[in-house]
Amino acid sequence: MTMGAAASTASDGLIESAYREHSRKVLATLIRLLGDFDLAEEALHDAFVAAADRWPREGMPGNPSAWLVSAGRFKAIDKLRRRARFNAMEAEIADQLTADAEEGEDMEATSIKDDQLRLMFTCCHPVLPQPAQVALTLRELCGLTTEEISRAFLARPPALAQRIVRAKARIREERIPYEVPELSALPERLDAVLRVIYLVFNEGYSAHSGEALTRTDLSGEAIRLGRLMLDLLPQAETMGLLALMLLHESRRPARTTPDGEVVLLANQDRTLWDQALMAEGFDLIDRAFATRQIGPYTLQAAIAAVHARAGTAEDTDWGEIVGLYDVLMRAAPSPVVRLNRAVAVGMRDGPRAGLALVNGLIEEGNLADYHLTYAAQADFYRRAGETDAARQAYERALALALQEPERRFLQQRLRELGDAP
């Protein structure tokens, strides 16, 4: 590699790293300053183009986020002035943005961080349908692609993209403010915000597709947002969701081998689990239960805590887990909760008990396109000694799985079953 090529590679890495670290924070501030999602996204792109030109020569500034916000804002003003030849309103907007910029607004890191919280509540405004709230926040605040979000929603990407476009238009037409609601309005807005955080964490903890099992950037972002929400509104379900995320995150070091292969919970080296995250999660669960306002996130956290407290897989109290799932089924019934409960029943009462419940779900048509349904079915058949049925179920799971480590795990299970007769 020549010196010029090495320098180019290093500068590309600098910009890519800066984009990962700063882009969502900068976009949130640009959306507030410019008052328009699409203009802010264009400004973000232009700011990073400018950074790619200047930073390799001049060095990264001391406050990269503030530099990018400033560059993006003035790029947007220039763009509006060029458009003013065709639309006089663009000139008025450019003049107002220039006046705001000349006031010398503080761009400290705290201010930019707060803009992410403002944007979250804007995207989760009650005038928007809840699916649009979640999709828009995942796209704008967390940077998930339309394809990633569509998998979380089990929706087609074109339909999901239209949902996001309509949500942006609604915010513009309704003049929804970029602000954190008054304290009296926070509780009614909390459910949508927590659901967004939950989906972001899930995508980070177990990516739906791709080469890696996890995306630490997304799970870390979700935990950070969870902490922000806890500071703002320390209600039981906020505590429960943060506890749930921390307990799952504590197991990350043990979930894969050094070369990225899946390690099932029963086979994980529990000495690798993060004890500090576990302790924080346990404390939050205790605080949530003390309120006596126990919701679905707190119940899921309590289930995770039973796993976390077991010294070995054999020590797991599956009876307690089934009992907690019974309560969760009453609080927030769903096919996925039923599937998880079926797995717990199979661990408590044997594979045929679990198999009966999973087969019932499949016969009803629930989760017919969910690879983990067939993976659970296959594992119960395998444990029950029904090799041919297990092979068919693993093949069905493999056909539906999109994540490469999971696909390799399922292929390994098939190899372990031997050749079909």
Side-chain angles (χ1 to χ4, degrees):
M1 180 182 293
T2 66
M3 291 183 62
S8 176
T9 300
S11 64
D12 290 345
L14 171 71
I15 299 303
E16 289 173 7
S17 176
Y19 188 87
R20 286 194 300 270
E21 182 176 353
H22 301 288
S23 63
R24 307 333 293 177
K25 296 181 286 186
V26 171
L27 179 63
T29 297
L30 287 171
I31 288 173
R32 176 176 61 82
L33 294 175
L34 302 176
D36 183 272
F37 280 86
D38 294 333
L39 182 61
E41 288 170 357
E42 293 175 13
L44 178 71
H45 174 266
D46 291 342
F48 272 96
V49 169
D53 177 58
R54 293 182 56 179
W55 290 5
R57 291 184 286 107
E58 301 174 5
M60 181 181 287
N63 188 337
S65 293
W67 191 99
L68 290 162
V69 168
S70 179
R73 177 171 18 186
F74 285 106
K75 293 287 185 182
I77 291 171
D78 289 343
K79 189 167 291 187
L80 288 170
R81 293 205 185 283
R82 289 195 298 272
R83 293 176 185 172
R85 292 177 296 171
F86 309 101
N87 185 344
M89 182 63 72
E90 304 280 18
E92 294 181 19
I93 297 172
D95 289 341
Q96 182 60 54
L97 291 174
T98 302
D100 292 342
E102 289 173 350
E103 291 179 2
E105 179 177 339
D106 183 14
M107 285 295 165
E108 292 301 320
T110 301
S111 173
I112 293 175
K113 179 182 71 173
D114 290 345
D115 279 330
Q116 292 183 281
L117 202 55
R118 294 185 186 100
L119 178 58
M120 175 170 285
F121 278 100
T122 301
C123 293
C124 296
H125 196 279
V127 304
L128 301 175
Q130 190 174 68
Q133 295 174 8
V134 179
L136 184 62
T137 307
L138 289 172
R139 179 71 189 93
E140 302 300 328
L141 194 75
C142 302
L144 270 69
T145 65
T146 302
E147 288 73 22
E148 288 169 335
I149 304 169
S150 68
R151 286 192 295 273
F153 277 108
L154 303 179
R156 294 173 54 248
L160 197 284
Q162 282 301 310
R163 184 182 298 170
I164 293 173
V165 169
R166 287 193 295 269
K168 290 179 181 178
R170 187 74 181 276
I171 289 173
R172 184 169 56 250
E173 293 162 4
E174 299 279 346
R175 298 182 181 276
I176 294 174
Y178 298 91
E179 63 184 18
V180 176
E182 295 293 329
L183 190 61
S184 60
L186 274 175
E188 68 187 43
R189 304 274 294 277
L190 185 62
D191 286 348
V193 172
L194 294 185
R195 183 169 179 233
V196 168
I197 296 172
Y198 184 54
L199 284 175
V200 174
F201 180 81
N202 283 344
E203 181 64 25
Y205 185 72
S206 183
H208 283 82
S209 64
E211 294 295 329
L213 179 67
T214 64
R215 290 182 58 179
T216 56
D217 55 336
L218 291 180
S219 57
E221 175 72 6
I223 289 172
R224 188 189 67 79
L225 293 174
R227 294 190 192 281
L228 281 176
M229 287 303 303
L230 184 63
D231 289 341
L232 184 67
L233 194 65
Q235 292 193 350
E237 277 294 78
T238 312
M239 299 174 196
L241 176 57
L242 182 54
L244 175 63
M245 295 189 295
L246 292 173
L247 290 173
H248 281 312
E249 186 69 10
S250 71
R251 300 203 297 262
R252 180 188 295 279
R255 293 183 63 225
T256 59
T257 64
D259 54 358
E261 300 304 319
V262 173
V263 180
L264 296 182
L265 177 61
N267 300 325
Q268 288 175 14
D269 180 354
R270 300 185 178 216
T271 64
L272 298 177
W273 291 359
D274 190 315
Q275 298 298 314
L277 292 181
M278 289 167 58
E280 186 179 357
F282 295 153
D283 179 65
L284 286 165
I285 292 171
D286 290 342
R287 289 168 57 191
F289 270 87
T291 69
R292 300 186 179 276
Q293 297 176 335
I294 301 164
Y297 294 121
T298 303
L299 290 168
Q300 290 177 72
I303 292 167
V306 176
H307 287 293
R309 288 191 169 104
T312 66
E314 293 72 24
D315 293 337
T316 305
D317 189 339
W318 289 105
E320 184 178 359
I321 289 175
V322 171
L324 287 166
Y325 272 122
D326 289 341
V327 179
L328 183 59
M329 278 294 298
R330 294 194 293 272
S334 77
V336 172
V337 172
R338 287 179 62 189
L339 175 62
N340 291 337
R341 181 185 179 277
V343 171
V345 169
M347 297 302 296
R348 184 189 66 180
D349 301 336
R352 295 200 179 277
L355 190 59
L357 296 174
V358 173
N359 287 346
L361 273 170
I362 294 173
E363 289 167 7
E364 293 171 13
N366 291 314
L367 304 177
D369 295 326
Y370 189 43
H371 70 287
L372 294 181
T373 307
Y374 298 98
Q377 182 191 47
D379 190 59
F380 284 140
Y381 276 130
R382 179 183 64 83
R383 290 169 53 200
E386 298 188 35
T387 304
D388 291 343
R391 182 180 296 104
Q392 292 177 12
Y394 277 129
E395 289 172 347
R396 177 62 174 157
L398 183 60
L400 293 170
L402 298 173
Q403 184 197 96
E404 287 305 316
E406 288 185 334
R407 289 180 56 80
R408 291 195 296 270
F409 175 81
L410 293 169
Q411 289 164 345
Q412 177 61 32
R413 281 290 201 228
L414 281 167
R415 286 192 292 270
E416 290 169 358
L417 291 177
D419 295 332

